[in-house]
Amino acid sequence: QDFLKTLILCAYASFLFGWHVHEKAVMMITLPMSLLVLEEKRMTRIYLLLSSAAHISLFPLLFTSAETPIKIALFILFTTVSFLSLPMLKSENVESPSTPENTRINLLHSFIPPFEGVTHTDTLIIVSLVLIQIYCIGFHGIGGFLANLTFLPLLLTSISCSIVVIWTWILTLKMYLTKERHSIKFRTE
């Protein structure tokens, strides 16, 4: 597990601070994290956010209208399976689902099924990514002065996905450093 964590943090550093990074490079982070999430359940939240942003960041690479239904269907299928199957993995580090804050009904959770790991902020992030893609794929070319800005969909996709990748990097670092601090504290007692 330590090797995978280190590999993930190195991949984040390479992606975030590299001179020229292509959209496909985010898979260097996502693939090892998909293995780690099976062992360390508290990484589920970060993985779901990162994989959503990673898949959406690859959308501009499939730019023809014939590829659009395929990329949307694959994204919906993968995201739905991930959100429904990963929470089924039992975790000993998660609060019980009977707490009052977990029983509140949220309108955004009607689009994305709630579970113990995903917060309201995470749901808002994913819904925002999807709304940006709905604009980029469906509404950008329809009239108005924005239709002349051909780079705008790519710019919106890149900026929104990079914000999510940076956010997941911060969450991963926080999780890694706090766990290491606790384990060092545990060893010294």
Side-chain angles (χ1 to χ4, degrees):
Q1 284 185 357
D2 288 337
F3 175 73
L4 275 177
K5 290 176 193 172
T6 307
L7 183 69
I8 290 167
L9 289 173
C10 287
Y12 266 118
S14 172
F15 183 80
L16 293 173
F17 303 111
W19 177 257
H20 174 75
V21 176
H22 197 268
E23 294 89 353
K24 294 180 282 190
V26 76
M27 292 300 155
M28 291 186 339
I29 308 166
T30 310
L31 293 176
M33 192 176 285
S34 67
L35 298 174
L36 185 62
V37 77
L38 297 174
E39 293 294 322
E40 193 158 332
K41 309 312 180 252
R42 62 191 193 133
M43 295 294 286
T44 303
R45 169 186 177 210
I46 298 170
Y47 174 73
L48 291 172
L49 283 171
L50 181 66
S51 67
S52 297
H55 285 95
I56 287 177
S57 73
L58 296 175
F59 277 12
L61 297 176
L62 305 170
F63 55 87
T64 64
S65 58
E67 297 166 330
T68 300
I70 296 168
K71 69 182 177 185
I72 292 172
L74 288 175
F75 173 73
I76 291 171
L77 178 68
F78 181 83
T79 305
T80 303
V81 168
S82 295
F83 270 85
L84 294 178
S85 64
L86 286 176
M88 291 182 199
L89 299 172
K90 298 296 179 196
S91 175
E92 56 279 341
N93 301 335
V94 186
E95 303 174 5
S96 93
S98 61
T99 59
E101 60 228 14
N102 288 336
T103 57
R104 281 185 279 157
I105 297 174
N106 184 355
L107 178 63
L108 290 176
H109 283 304
S110 62
F111 298 106
I112 300 174
F115 70 95
E116 294 125 354
V118 173
T119 64
H120 297 295
T121 305
D122 301 337
T123 305
L124 185 63
I125 288 170
I126 293 171
V127 169
S128 298
L129 285 173
V130 169
L131 290 175
I132 289 171
Q133 285 310 301
I134 288 172
Y135 167 76
C136 291
I137 292 170
F139 296 108
H140 176 70
I142 301 174
F145 71 95
L146 292 178
N148 295 333
L149 302 174
T150 56
F151 64 90
L152 188 61
L154 182 58
L155 180 71
L156 289 173
T157 301
S158 295
I159 289 175
S160 61
C161 291
S162 66
I163 289 169
V164 177
V165 170
I166 291 169
W167 176 243
T168 60
W169 174 61
I170 291 169
L171 291 175
T172 304
L173 270 177
K174 179 183 172 198
M175 191 172 296
Y176 186 74
L177 294 175
T178 57
K179 183 177 182 194
E180 290 302 312
R181 187 178 61 213
H182 291 306
S183 64
I184 292 170
K185 184 177 177 185
F186 178 74
R187 287 183 204 148
T188 59
E189 291 179 353

